[in-house]
Structures are given as C-alpha cells and as structure tokens.
Amino acid sequence: MHSSPIEVPVSYWLQEFFEEQHNAGVWKYEQGEITLSNYCRHPFDSSKWGRICRLLIANGILEKSRIVEPLEATKDDLLVVHSKSYLDSLKSSLNVSIITEVPPVAVFPNCLVQKKVLYPFRKQVGGTILAAKLAKERGYAINVGGGFHHCCADRGGGFCVYADISLCIHYAFIRLNISRVMIIDLDAHQGNGHEMDFSNDRRVYILDMYNPYIYPLDYEARRYIDQRVEVPSGTATEEYLMKLDEALQVAGNAFDPELVIYNAGTDILDGDPLGRLRISPHGVTIRDEKVFKFARDKNLPLVMLTSGGYMMSSAQVIADSIMNLSSKSLITLGGI
C-alpha cells in the first residue's frame, strides 16, 4: 500500500446547477421564473462536495494541488455499460427529471439539461474512473462524490443517472489488469444498480449493508447480493459497527479481491430523513476507518465514493472522517 500523497478526484457536479437556485428560492431560465414552492425539492445537499474540500484545506489536511478535476465520461465510455436506448432516453428532459427526482428539470430545454445536469454527472463518472486508476497506482483514492448505485445498464433512478460504479469496475477489468473486485456498499440504501449489472458475474463480490425498509425495495436485485446485511430503521451505532465487523470478517474469508470499491454514504447518520438509521458522526468515522484498515491489512487498493447523505452536516462528518484517516496514517493527502 503506497503512502505517497494522492489526488482527490472531484467535480462539483450539481453544485453549480442547484446551489444558487436553492439559495435564491427560485429556478431561472432566460426570462421566466419557476418558484420552488410549487415543486418538491430533492433533499440531496448538492453543495457538500465543495464544502468537504474547503474544510480539508482549511484544516491543513489537503493541498489544493491535490484536487484533480476529472475528464467527462464520453458516450463511448458510457456505452461500455449502458444501452444506447437508455442513453437516448436522456434526451427527454422529463425522463431526466424522473431519474433525478427534481420535477423542475422537466420544463427545461434538453440542451440546457445536457449542459447543466448531465454533463456534470458525466464529469463525476469520470472522477470515479480516475479514482480507480489512482488507487491502483498509489493504494487508495477518494472521489468526493460518486456512488450512483441505483443506476444500472438500462435504468436510472434515485438521483442516479449513470452507473459510475459499474463503469469503474469494467474500466478496472479492461485497463487495470484487475480480475476480481469487491464492492462494500455501506450507503443506507440498497445498491440495486450494481447488483443488477453484476448479477451473473462471479468476478464481483457484493457486500451490501442497508436498511431493507426504505427505497429502492428491489427484491429481484437482492437475490444477487453475495453478502446481505440488513440494518432496519432505528439501528444505532454500537449494533451497526458490530454487524460491520462481522461482515468484513466474512467477506475477507469468502473472497480474494484485487480492488475494493467502497460506497461510503452518510445517509446512515442519525436524523437523516431518508436513511432512518441512528449512527453518530463518530460512528461514521469509525466505520470508514474499519473499511480502510480492512483494505490496508490485505494490501488492497481502495476507491472511496461519498454517495448519499441528506443533511447539511454530512460535509463536516465526511471531512472529519477523512481527517481521522489521515491522522491514523491510513491515507496521506499532502497537508499544508
């Protein structure tokens, strides 16, 4: 496991599109205005990625020079996983609004949607792919974003337009000479997208620890989880971490990966309106530390994606966790 400083791939994908409009309480397009009071806002905090990086820089953990903006995933890249018919369906603003769960998107011209919504998503896919390359070279990489685990080859949903995890894994197979990948999905929601994409692929082992009583309730996809750990609504920190310890031990004995993809959603936090779990901020820090130690002890490259999280506190929690990883010498980000 390399200990040299790493880049943190990041593009503030929906920050530009959502943050200013949310603060103003209005969506604007040319001469028209659409008041947000007429629509349900998506609860995702789209500005958290920028805040994470600013917090890390302010605390001397991360140098600005270590932040790398990835290239946009091209159509040919996306076609490695996605069907042409699915990509063509994104030419409909209505379809994009349904997938992102942001109704106002439906009324925008698709050229604007392509530029302000889908282009930033494609940049974020590029970040996840870049993170795999950096992890193979240096031992680990963090994409401050990514983790669109509800999207599969021919279907998006749950704010997930492109299947970045599946694309990242295929990139690892094709370009990085990796033959076995473990997904550790600790977002509060079931990762039904990558489960469908790798339903019959024994090169991929999926450990999914999720609340079974919330979205997406995809019972077909659950059949393809190699190691299913259900944590029902109300599960608190001590029980959660105990189950995680057991799960990592089982996974380590069951499969011998060459790369770990860690989907590290913070929607497990106590008070998150969608995750419905009761994990403390310190519990998230310990969770991340356990996964990084799991990878380090087995000398496995690890890609971390920040995935879901629906409270304003998520950015601070993620930054605190990354600072803890640095203080424990599990990562080195090149402090000031």
Side-chain angles (χ1 to χ4, degrees), residues 128-178:
T128 299
I129 293 171
L130 174 60
K133 178 178 182 292
L134 293 173
K136 177 70 183 295
E137 293 174 355
R138 310 185 183 194
Y140 50 84
I142 301 170
N143 184 8
V144 183
F148 307 137
H149 64 160
H150 298 309
C151 185
C152 63
D154 56 6
R155 184 178 69 249
F159 204 61
C160 301
V161 180
Y162 300 113
D164 68 317
I165 293 175
S166 298
L167 285 157
C168 173
I169 291 173
H170 281 287
Y171 171 83
F173 288 156
I174 296 167
R175 297 291 182 88
L176 301 181
N177 197 31
I178 284 172

Side-chain angles (χ1 to χ4, degrees), residues 35-56:
T35 58
L36 282 173
S37 60
N38 293 330
Y39 299 93
C40 295
R41 294 187 187 185
H42 195 283
F44 198 90
D45 174 18
S46 58
S47 66
K48 73 177 182 180
W49 301 284
R51 295 205 313 279
I52 292 167
C53 290
R54 288 193 292 270
L55 287 165
L56 293 173

Side-chain angles (χ1 to χ4, degrees), residues 116-137:
K116 293 294 188 179
V117 181
L118 297 182
Y119 169 75
F121 267 115
R122 290 191 293 267
K123 292 274 282 189
Q124 195 63 29
V125 172
T128 299
I129 293 171
L130 174 60
K133 178 178 182 292
L134 293 173
K136 177 70 183 295
E137 293 174 355

Side-chain angles (χ1 to χ4, degrees), residues 28-30 32 69 92 124 128 191 210 250 262 268 284 326-327:
K28 295 184 178 180
Y29 173 65
E30 292 183 349
E69 184 174 351
S92 162
Q124 195 63 29
T128 299
Y210 64 94
V250 170
Y262 174 35
I268 66 169
V284 171
S326 178
S327 71

